[in-house]
């Protein structure tokens, strides 16, 4: 249908409206042709139909292949520890022996219990106001007070605690085993005729999990130890959109210095890494994969108008090409 025919339908034979519509249409058509020529769009689709159909078929085949490759690549990134059978049992045993051997840091809240065959002899070396819980080695306050300093030892910013009888002890950087040995050596033989038993447990062992876990949050380990797989399981596993090959571990040492380590759970070698056994106040961050990152992309409000204009221009180009056939 010629342009005049379209204008007659749209303007109901009103001369003024028809003239105005005609001038606007000519303007839009000219600009649309310029855009089409600029992007070389028209020549691709003004050839014979067989040629165009072949191009479209090839484009669809390329799209299908790209989707299949992307799916295969994503499937490879989902399983954990794909090379587990290549890790020696001796390496796994050596890594397991290091579990719980972490350093004490400022801010830690410790339970330190000194025991001996004569309980009365070690009373001065224990904090008062707590009783044993049946079936547990931990202690609870008799009065129910929330003043943990009356029950536990809180490591100050300088890495010290105030221990009964022994006074101020600098313990930051020590492991639980070395602290137990240190306190026992200070008590025996100076104060007791027998070597006492010393138990040290951390009461505020927490790990912070953020990012693409199914249930991110703060994990508390009541037994004072936690490994990487346990933390992932407690968070309900990683989501399918979470990157398993690039998990960020942020750790603060006894001196306050932060270190960053990247963990690849697709590779079973992470089981033998020192970072496999987590420490108190570790932070785990799971980065979203490229698919989720793309899905979260949005057009800024400032570009909304521009996008609508581009859509209008493309519609006009299509219209012009249909008329040109």
């Amino acid at each position: 249908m010629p342009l005049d025919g379209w204008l007659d339908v749209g303007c109901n034979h009103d001369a003024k409206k028809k003239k105005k519509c005609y001038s606007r249409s000519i303007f839009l058509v000219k600009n649309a042709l310029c855009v089409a020529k600029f992007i070389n769009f028209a020549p691709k689709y003004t050839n014979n139909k067989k040629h165009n159909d072949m191009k479209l078929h090839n484009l669809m085949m390329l799209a299908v292949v790209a989707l299949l490759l992307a799916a295969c690549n994503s499937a490879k990134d989902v399983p954990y520890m794909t090379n587990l059978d290549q890790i020696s049992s001796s390496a796994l045993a050596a890594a397991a022996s290091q579990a719980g051997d972490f350093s004490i840091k400022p801010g830690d809240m410790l339970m330190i219990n000194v025991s001996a065959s004569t309980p009365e002899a070690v009373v001065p070396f224990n904090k008062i106001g707590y009783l044993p819980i049946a079936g547990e080695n931990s202690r609870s306050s008799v009065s129910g007070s929330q003043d943990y300093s009356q029950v536990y030892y809180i490591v100050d910013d300088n890495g010290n605690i105030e221990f009964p009888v022994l006074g101020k002890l600098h313990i930051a950087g020590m492991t639980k085993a070395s602290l137990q040995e240190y306190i026992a050596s200070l008590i025996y033989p100076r104060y007791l005729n027998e070597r006492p038993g010393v138990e040290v447990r951390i009461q505020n062992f927490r790990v912070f999990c953020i990012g693409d876990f199914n249930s991110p949050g703060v994990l508390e380990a009541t037994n004072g130890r936690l490994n990487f797989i346990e933390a992932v399981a407690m968070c309900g596993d990683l989501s399918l959109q979470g990157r398993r090959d690039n998990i960020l571990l942020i750790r603060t040492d006894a001196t306050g210095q932060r270190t960053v380590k990247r963990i690849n759970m697709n590779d079973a070698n992470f089981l033998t890494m020192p970072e496999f056994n987590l420490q108190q106040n570790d932070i785990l961050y799971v980065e979203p994969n490229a698919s989720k990152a793309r899905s979260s992309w949005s057009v800024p409000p400032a570009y909304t108008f521009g996008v609508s204009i581009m859509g209008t221009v493309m519609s006009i180009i299509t219209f012009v090409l249909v008329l040109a056939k």
Side-chain angles (χ1 to χ4, degrees), residues 244-262:
R244 288 145 171 78
D245 63 338
N246 194 28
I247 302 176
L248 198 66
L249 169 62
I250 304 173
R251 174 170 295 174
T252 305
D253 61 22
T255 64
Q257 297 296 318
R258 289 186 178 90
T259 58
V260 177
K261 186 73 175 182
R262 297 188 181 274

Side-chain angles (χ1 to χ4, degrees), residues 11-238:
C11 301
N12 296 323
H13 301 283
D14 187 314
K16 290 184 178 180
K17 288 185 177 180
K18 183 175 180 180
K19 183 177 181 181
K20 188 175 183 180
C21 290
Y22 186 82
S23 61
R24 289 184 178 180
S25 299
I26 293 297
F27 174 78
L28 291 175
V29 168
K30 287 182 177 180
N31 281 277
L33 288 173
C34 290
V35 173
K37 184 177 181 181
F38 177 74
I39 64 174
N40 200 24
F41 187 89
K44 293 182 180 179
Y45 292 89
T46 55
N47 296 327
N48 60 75
K49 183 176 183 300
K50 183 177 180 181
H51 180 69
N52 290 336
D53 290 343
M54 181 63 68
K55 284 189 174 183
L56 181 61
H57 177 267
N58 292 339
L59 182 61
M60 292 178 64
M61 290 298 297
L62 287 174
V64 171
V65 172
L67 288 173
L68 291 175
L69 290 176
C72 293
N73 187 47
S74 300
K76 292 178 181 179
D77 295 336
V78 173
Y80 298 121
M81 301 173 286
T82 54
N83 59 333
L84 183 59
D85 55 342
Q86 301 176 10
I87 309 299
S88 65
S89 57
S90 59
L92 292 174
S97 65
Q98 300 175 2
D101 191 22
F102 55 85
S103 299
I104 295 171
K105 307 170 186 177
D108 286 349
M109 187 166 65
L110 306 176
M111 184 279 292
I112 304 177
N113 182 41
V114 181
S115 61
S117 58
T118 306
E120 296 79 7
V122 295
V123 168
F125 301 99
N126 289 300
K127 285 199 170 186
I128 61 174
Y130 54 97
L131 292 174
I133 298 177
E136 295 284 343
N137 290 327
S138 59
R139 306 280 178 167
S140 66
S141 173
V142 173
S143 62
S145 171
Q146 296 300 311
D147 185 3
Y148 295 114
S149 63
Q150 298 297 319
V151 182
Y152 305 117
Y153 298 88
I154 300 178
V155 184
D156 64 23
D157 293 339
N158 297 318
N160 303 320
I161 60 171
E162 193 68 35
F163 200 86
V165 181
L166 303 180
K168 182 177 291 186
L169 304 178
H170 183 75
I171 64 172
M174 293 185 180
T175 64
K176 290 194 301 180
S178 62
L179 178 57
Q180 290 171 171
E181 178 65 26
Y182 177 58
I183 293 176
S185 66
L186 293 177
I187 296 175
Y188 172 81
R190 182 177 181 182
Y191 297 102
L192 297 179
N193 294 326
E194 63 172 315
R195 189 175 186 83
V198 180
E199 179 191 11
V200 176
R201 294 182 63 180
I202 183 169
Q203 300 299 307
N204 62 336
F205 193 107
R206 298 177 300 176
V207 173
F208 303 87
C209 299
I210 58 176
D212 269 277
F213 290 98
N214 284 319
S215 299
V218 181
L219 309 181
E220 295 187 1
T222 56
N223 62 351
R225 61 195 301 177
L226 194 67
N227 65 43
F228 212 92
I229 291 181
E230 290 172 339
V232 170
M234 292 173 69
C235 288
D237 203 353
L238 275 64

Side-chain angles (χ1 to χ4, degrees), residues 286-298:
V286 176
E287 181 183 354
N289 60 20
S291 174
K292 184 172 183 179
R294 285 193 299 268
S295 66
S296 64
W297 183 84
S298 61

